[in-house]
Amino acid sequence: MKKASLALAVAAGTLGLTLGNVANAAFIEDSTAKLDLRNYYFDNDNRESQGDVGVGAARSGQVREWGQAFQLNLQSGFTEGPVGFGVDALGLLGVRLDGGGRAGKAGQDRTPSAMFPLESDGSARDEFSSLGLTGKIRFSKTVAQIGTLQPKLPVVTFNDGRLIPQTFEGVQITSNEIDNLTLIAGQLEHAKGRTSSNADSLAIAGAANGADSNKFYYGGADYKINKDLLVQYYYGNLDDFYKQHFLGLTHTLALGAGSLKSDLRYFDTSSDGKNGSVAGRAEGYRAAGKPGNDGEADNRTWSAFFTYSLEGHALSAGYQQVSGDSNFMQLNQTSIPGQGGATTYLITDRQITNFARAGERTWITQYGYDFGKIGVPGLTANVLYMKGDNIKAVGGDQKEWERDLTVSYVVQEGVAKGLGFAWRNASLRSEATADTDQNRLIVSYSIPLL
């Protein structure tokens, strides 16, 4: 609430400057506004929860939901002068059309929800909404933002896998003063989940007893050595949980008639604060990991992913190795009611699971095709297969595999130009979690308002 109030104050001050000085016309002239519409059908079949689970028990085998999202994105320009001020607003509304959590009675089916908040009796709400405001200040080629943020960085990435996206609250500074170099630093204090209207504290998978934190520090640099080579370094620190270093490199090489893109990533994660002591981990400041680990953050994860593109074809192959006593970790509020759902910056984080358990080794292959090359612009298809093994678990190592298929089409011209359709189908077979089949049908459209 403090961050939101501060953002409101910045917004009010900015509007006052603008209205009081006609020289600040750029504040209005450079503004943009659009309304994004997303119609989303989600079908998740947990194949290991179909049997008789007993009277009064929760039956979570099948989750079928249909909803409509409205996302209003307003971005102002900056006031004129050496120091410019601006304000952005993000309005989110999710409406339940069908399905969702159902409370049920003893002996009847009870289903959870993947897209909507739940009432106290377990039933899904008919709608939920939120408003995020972001004040911003520009000096030269540096911009500071305070309020609602949606970072998309190696050490923190907002989740957009359901009806409405996740948001964070905090401060971020982005500087482009040096050519080809982008510097970013920030601090996050709260997160608002993809199925929530409320902002809550931050945590990681494995946290217990309400253990959380309101301080996530991050920073890093993207340096573009040339048009084909980018190197990255980032650091993230969730107070009392973990510290994480990231190194990345992406390179594109002309090869024959096509091109080869290389994507290399390395994470090194260790304990911080209370997670670094036995007493702190006993309080709940712990990370999920392999048997025998008492919750201390200890992880090294590296990956290599290569894509060869030729005409409309794109063939990819990669490998990922998770080492250490704990699972790979980034911000994940699964221990906080209503705040589940997180995205990790891993080549294996696709549709159902992210193949990031302690010890896991994953091979990944992928093929994509752009049908524009044969006269159907806007139509693309992609199929992916991942196989992981060596997962450390009680009773011996475990393995799993996931197959994903995505087909999407965007209308290219006419009155429906920009209307998008997507079908995402996936199957997971795992010894570490429940076998799952999943389908997502998404219709999207963006309406420019300014």
Side-chain angles (χ1 to χ4, degrees):
M1 293 299 295
K2 291 181 179 179
K3 288 295 181 185
S5 299
L6 184 53
L8 280 169
V10 173
T14 302
L15 289 171
L17 286 171
T18 304
L19 295 175
N21 184 356
V22 294
N24 291 318
F27 179 91
I28 300 297
E29 293 175 356
D30 293 338
S31 296
T32 62
K34 65 174 182 175
L35 177 64
D36 292 327
L37 307 177
R38 177 186 290 179
N39 190 278
Y40 204 123
Y41 176 76
F42 181 85
D43 185 330
N44 191 81
D45 183 2
N46 181 335
R47 299 176 61 87
E48 296 181 6
S49 298
Q50 303 300 312
D52 183 6
V53 292
V55 176
R59 189 188 301 271
S60 59
Q62 190 84 36
V63 178
R64 290 176 176 170
E65 300 178 281
W66 182 28
Q68 176 66 51
F70 302 86
Q71 179 173 320
L72 180 63
N73 198 321
L74 307 174
Q75 295 185 325
S76 79
F78 289 91
T79 58
E80 297 178 3
V83 179
F85 297 85
V87 62
D88 299 335
L90 179 65
L92 300 171
L93 170 64
V95 179
R96 184 167 65 93
L97 301 178
D98 193 18
R102 184 171 64 251
K105 297 180 181 179
Q108 294 181 347
D109 286 354
R110 300 183 181 188
T111 59
S113 176
M115 297 202 298
F116 304 99
L118 299 178
E119 302 289 0
S120 58
D121 66 354
S123 60
R125 294 184 189 176
D126 290 334
E127 63 180 47
F128 66 112
S129 62
S130 65
L131 173 65
L133 296 174
T134 308
K136 55 187 182 181
I137 302 173
R138 182 183 67 188
F139 176 75
S140 185
K141 296 181 181 179
T142 298
V143 175
Q145 299 169 285
I146 181 169
T148 296
L149 301 172
Q150 291 184 303
K152 197 170 184 179
L153 303 169
V155 292
V156 54
T157 300
F158 77 95
N159 182 279
D160 193 21
R162 294 294 187 271
L163 193 61
I164 65 174
Q166 179 188 36
T167 61
F168 293 93
E169 293 178 358
V171 179
Q172 179 173 296
I173 300 174
T174 305
S175 177
N176 291 287
E177 301 294 337
I178 301 174
D179 290 344
N180 301 318
L181 177 65
T182 298
L183 300 174
I184 296 177
Q187 177 184 326
L188 303 179
E189 296 189 351
H190 300 93
K192 191 177 296 182
R194 62 193 186 185
T195 61
S196 177
S197 298
N198 302 316
D200 281 301
S201 300
L202 308 171
I204 61 173
N209 304 326
D212 57 18
S213 176
N214 289 118
K215 293 181 180 178
F216 177 74
Y217 306 99
Y218 63 98
D222 295 335
Y223 181 50
K224 196 169 185 179
I225 296 176
N226 55 49
K227 66 181 181 65
D228 297 318
L229 179 60
L230 173 71
V231 294
Q232 298 174 293
Y233 168 77
Y234 278 88
Y235 173 78
N237 173 204
L238 181 59
D239 193 38
D240 280 328
F241 282 101
Y242 72 89
K243 296 176 288 188
Q244 185 173 80
H245 298 270
F246 169 81
L247 292 172
L249 180 150
T250 58
H251 179 255
T252 302
L253 173 69
L255 189 62
S259 64
L260 177 66
K261 181 178 180 180
S262 303
D263 184 346
L264 308 178
R265 307 178 188 184
Y266 175 75
F267 290 91
D268 189 327
T269 309
S270 58
S271 63
D272 180 70
K274 292 183 178 180
N275 179 265
S277 69
V278 174
R281 294 194 292 275
E283 292 177 27
Y285 291 87
R286 52 181 293 110
K290 69 181 185 181
N293 179 38
D294 66 352
E296 183 174 4
D298 173 49
N299 182 272
R300 269 93 35 216
T301 297
W302 68 269
S303 63
F305 193 67
F306 305 96
T307 301
Y308 183 70
S309 300
L310 176 64
E311 296 296 332
H313 304 274
L315 181 63
S316 305
Y319 177 78
Q320 179 173 283
Q321 172 71 62
V322 182
S323 303
D325 290 336
S326 66
N327 298 350
F328 176 82
M329 67 193 69
Q330 287 190 344
L331 294 181
N332 190 330
Q333 282 65 252
T334 54
S335 61
I336 302 174
Q339 297 295 330
T343 293
T344 56
Y345 189 68
L346 298 176
I347 64 171
T348 53
D349 194 339
R350 300 305 179 104
Q351 184 160 331
I352 298 180
T353 191
N354 62 10
F355 291 77
R357 294 179 176 84
E360 190 159 13
R361 304 174 302 196
T362 306
W363 290 96
I364 176 173
T365 58
Q366 179 176 310
Y367 172 73
Y369 186 70
D370 181 355
F371 288 84
K373 297 298 182 178
I374 58 173
V376 191
L379 177 64
T380 60
N382 186 84
V383 62
L384 171 148
Y385 179 78
M386 296 181 287
K387 183 176 182 180
D389 63 11
N390 202 48
I391 301 169
K392 301 306 177 184
V394 175
D397 294 349
Q398 298 176 329
K399 57 186 178 180
E400 60 187 354
W401 62 261
E402 179 177 330
R403 189 272 306 148
D404 298 354
L405 170 65
T406 301
V407 179
S408 62
Y409 176 68
V410 178
V411 178
Q412 301 295 297
E413 56 186 7
V415 294
K417 182 178 180 180
L419 181 64
F421 303 87
W423 171 45
R424 301 187 64 187
N425 171 273
S427 293
L428 171 70
R429 297 296 180 266
S430 175
E431 296 174 353
T433 188
D435 291 348
T436 302
D437 291 328
Q438 190 179 101
N439 282 285
R440 307 181 190 185
L441 299 174
I442 306 167
V443 181
S444 57
Y445 189 65
S446 183
I447 304 174
L449 303 177
L450 284 179

